[in-house]
Amino acid sequence: AYHLRQSFKPGEITPELALEIAQKFAEEHLAGYEVVIGVHVDKAHIHAHMIFNSVNSDTGKKYHSNAQSYYKQIRATSDRLCREHGLSVIMQG
C-alpha cells in the first residue's frame, strides 16, 4: 500500500470539502486503485490521507512514483483541485 496526504491552510477549508477534494483526486489520479480516505484535524490543520493498494485492480499494474511524477502528476492534480475551490497552494520558491 501507499500513503498520500493533502494538507490545507488553517481556517481555509472544512472537513467535508477536504474529503470532496480527496475523492476527486482519487478518481483522477488513482483510478483503478482501491483507496481509503480519512480526514482529520491535526494542530489546527485539516488533512486528507489516502491509503491505496499498490496494484491497480483494473490493469494489474503496480503503482510507481518518483520526484518527477510527484510534481507533474500528484502535485499538479492536487494544486489544480485546490485552485478550483479557491484554496491556496504552496508556491515554489
Side-chain angles (χ1 to χ4, degrees):
Y2 286 96
H3 176 218
L4 291 173
R5 179 182 66 205
Q6 290 178 303
S7 299
F8 302 94
K9 185 176 179 179
E12 194 172 76
I13 193 168
T14 64
E16 294 81 11
L17 182 55
L19 177 60
E20 180 183 327
I21 290 170
Q23 288 170 326
K24 287 180 181 180
F25 178 90
E27 288 171 9
E28 289 184 28
H29 185 71
L30 300 171
Y33 292 95
E34 296 171 316
V35 181
V36 175
I37 299 171
V39 174
H40 73 99
V41 177
D42 179 22
K43 298 180 183 178
H45 290 82
I46 293 178
H47 296 86
H49 294 264
M50 290 167 266
I51 310 295
F52 61 99
N53 191 334
S54 63
V55 178
N56 188 299
S57 60
D58 295 336
T59 66
K61 293 184 179 181
K62 186 169 171 62
Y63 183 86
H64 292 284
S65 181
N66 56 36
Q68 185 177 16
S69 65
Y70 170 77
Y71 286 102
K72 287 188 175 181
Q73 297 171 351
I74 296 170
R75 179 82 180 268
T77 301
S78 180
D79 287 356
R80 180 181 48 77
L81 291 169
C82 287
R83 285 186 182 106
E84 286 175 5
H85 288 87
L87 303 173
S88 18
V89 297
I90 297 172
M91 302 304 291
Q92 297 293 329

